[in-house]
């Protein structure tokens, strides 16, 4: 069975600094997607970034980038130039190509201090 | 694109009562998903629809839970004979297929 593990329940970062959130996953599949979602206090899950497993190049979206290590089954999220609005729960999620079911980790609460 | 809409935002009910939640997906999204999120956990998959067909149900979805999407547009999730363990956030999401999910704001259920 596929699992997603986020080992950092909480992280904190100073405004304008960089922070990295960790995620590991377990799967026997070779083709899949990985995602990072953000859930602010407003509760709506918002897609931050997506990575296709067949792509070697790490995905980037403005201040957000990932370090995808397929062999190690690791998918970390780096947030550069952190802003107060980045404070939220961050969830790592996994999906195979042939199913629409997302499997989420337990989340990391990110606090941003001015 | 008005986003995924869920109603109600909060629901408090007594144990044993039935509750029904509604989800309106983004128009033209043919796939609709229900997830449940308990405190301190990530969302857990419950079920999903492609148009009006319910294609997959999680083992989490006991016989007391039923979901429908009668015309392939909005969906309802009903919980019969609610139990305290049903207290959670119920999230709905939609997608046009093989694309990232768009989530609603969720319905928070409290069973007293």
């Amino acid at each position: 069975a596929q699992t997603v593990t986020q080992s950092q329940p909480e992280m904190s970062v100073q405004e304008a600094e960089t922070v990295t959130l960790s995620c590991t996953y377990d799967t026997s599949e070779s083709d899949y997607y990985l995602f990072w979602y953000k859930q602010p206090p407003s509760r709506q899950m918002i897609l931050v970034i997506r990575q296709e497993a067949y792509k070697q190049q790490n995905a980037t979206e403005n201040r957000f980038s990932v370090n995808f290590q397929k062999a190690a089954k690791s998918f970390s999220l780096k947030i550069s130039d952190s802003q107060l609005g980045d404070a939220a729960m961050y969830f790592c999620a996994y999906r195979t190509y042939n199913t629409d079911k997302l499997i989420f980790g337990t989340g990391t609460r990110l606090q941003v201090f001015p | 694109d008005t986003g995924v809409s869920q109603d109600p935002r909060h629901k408090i009910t007594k144990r044993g009562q039935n509750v029904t939640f509604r989800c309106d997906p983004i128009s033209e999204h043919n796939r609709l998903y229900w997830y449940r999120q308990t405190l301190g956990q990530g969302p857990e998959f419950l079920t999903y629809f492609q148009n009006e067909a319910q294609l997959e149900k999680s083992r989490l979805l006991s016989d007391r839970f039923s979901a429908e999407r009668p015309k392939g547009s909005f969906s309802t999730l009903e919980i019969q004979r609610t139990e305290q363990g049903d207290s959670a956030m119920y999230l709905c999401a939609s997608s046009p297929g093989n694309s990232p999910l768009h989530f609603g704001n969720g319905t928070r259920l409290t069973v007293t």
Side-chain angles (χ1 to χ4, degrees):
Chain A
Q2 296 98 353
T3 58
V4 177
T5 302
Q6 294 179 250
S7 58
Q8 305 155 317
E10 287 194 13
M11 292 284 284
S12 61
V13 64
Q14 198 129 23
E15 206 175 0
E17 298 295 307
T18 295
V19 65
T20 299
L21 308 184
S22 301
C23 173
T24 58
Y25 58 95
D26 189 23
T27 184
S28 57
E29 304 284 338
S30 58
D31 294 325
Y32 48 87
Y33 297 99
L34 294 163
F35 305 85
W36 279 97
Y37 278 89
K38 169 185 176 181
Q39 188 177 41
S42 65
R43 305 180 338 196
Q44 186 177 23
M45 299 280 281
I46 301 164
L47 177 68
V48 175
I49 199 163
R50 158 168 109 156
Q51 174 82 41
E52 288 93 339
Y54 71 87
K55 290 186 177 178
Q56 293 185 340
Q57 187 171 6
N58 289 324
T60 62
E61 286 288 342
N62 301 314
R63 299 182 295 107
F64 298 88
S65 61
V66 299
N67 184 3
F68 173 48
Q69 302 288 328
K70 190 172 184 179
K73 296 179 182 173
S74 169
F75 183 60
S76 61
L77 174 70
K78 185 170 85 171
I79 306 174
S80 304
D81 185 25
S82 296
Q83 300 175 359
L84 294 177
D86 294 334
M89 284 291 290
Y90 285 81
F91 291 96
C92 179
Y94 162 98
R95 203 200 96 190
T96 60
Y97 273 21
N98 58 6
T99 178
D100 279 5
K101 183 169 63 178
L102 278 175
I103 298 170
F104 286 87
T106 52
T108 296
R109 181 174 302 281
L110 177 66
Q111 295 182 301
V112 182
F113 295 101
Chain B
D1 181 355
T2 56
V4 178
S5 176
Q6 291 189 247
D7 184 69
R9 193 164 169 82
H10 302 274
K11 178 71 177 178
I12 300 174
T13 190
K14 292 185 186 304
R15 188 163 49 99
Q17 297 294 305
N18 299 345
V19 294
T20 300
F21 311 139
R22 177 179 169 123
C23 171
D24 287 89
I26 294 171
S27 59
E28 299 176 0
H29 280 193
N30 61 347
R31 298 188 184 185
L32 186 148
Y33 311 80
W34 285 100
Y35 284 79
R36 182 172 70 185
Q37 185 178 20
T38 54
L39 203 60
Q41 299 296 317
E44 296 173 293
F45 172 81
L46 291 179
T47 188
Y48 101 91
F49 293 83
Q50 181 161 312
N51 300 312
E52 65 275 11
Q54 189 173 20
L55 296 187
E56 188 173 349
K57 288 167 53 172
S58 163
R59 281 170 288 183
L60 293 174
L61 217 63
S62 76
D63 291 345
R64 297 184 297 105
F65 288 70
S66 62
E68 292 184 344
R69 194 182 183 198
K71 297 181 181 179
S73 57
F74 73 92
S75 175
T76 57
L77 177 67
E78 181 184 16
I79 309 175
Q80 296 182 327
R81 305 181 302 282
T82 51
E83 301 172 357
Q84 287 189 320
D86 297 331
S87 295
M89 179 83 74
Y90 290 84
L91 295 170
C92 178
S94 69
S95 83
N98 201 30
S99 296
L101 274 57
H102 296 255
F103 284 84
N105 285 334
T107 293
R108 185 181 298 283
L109 173 66
T110 303
V111 182
T112 62

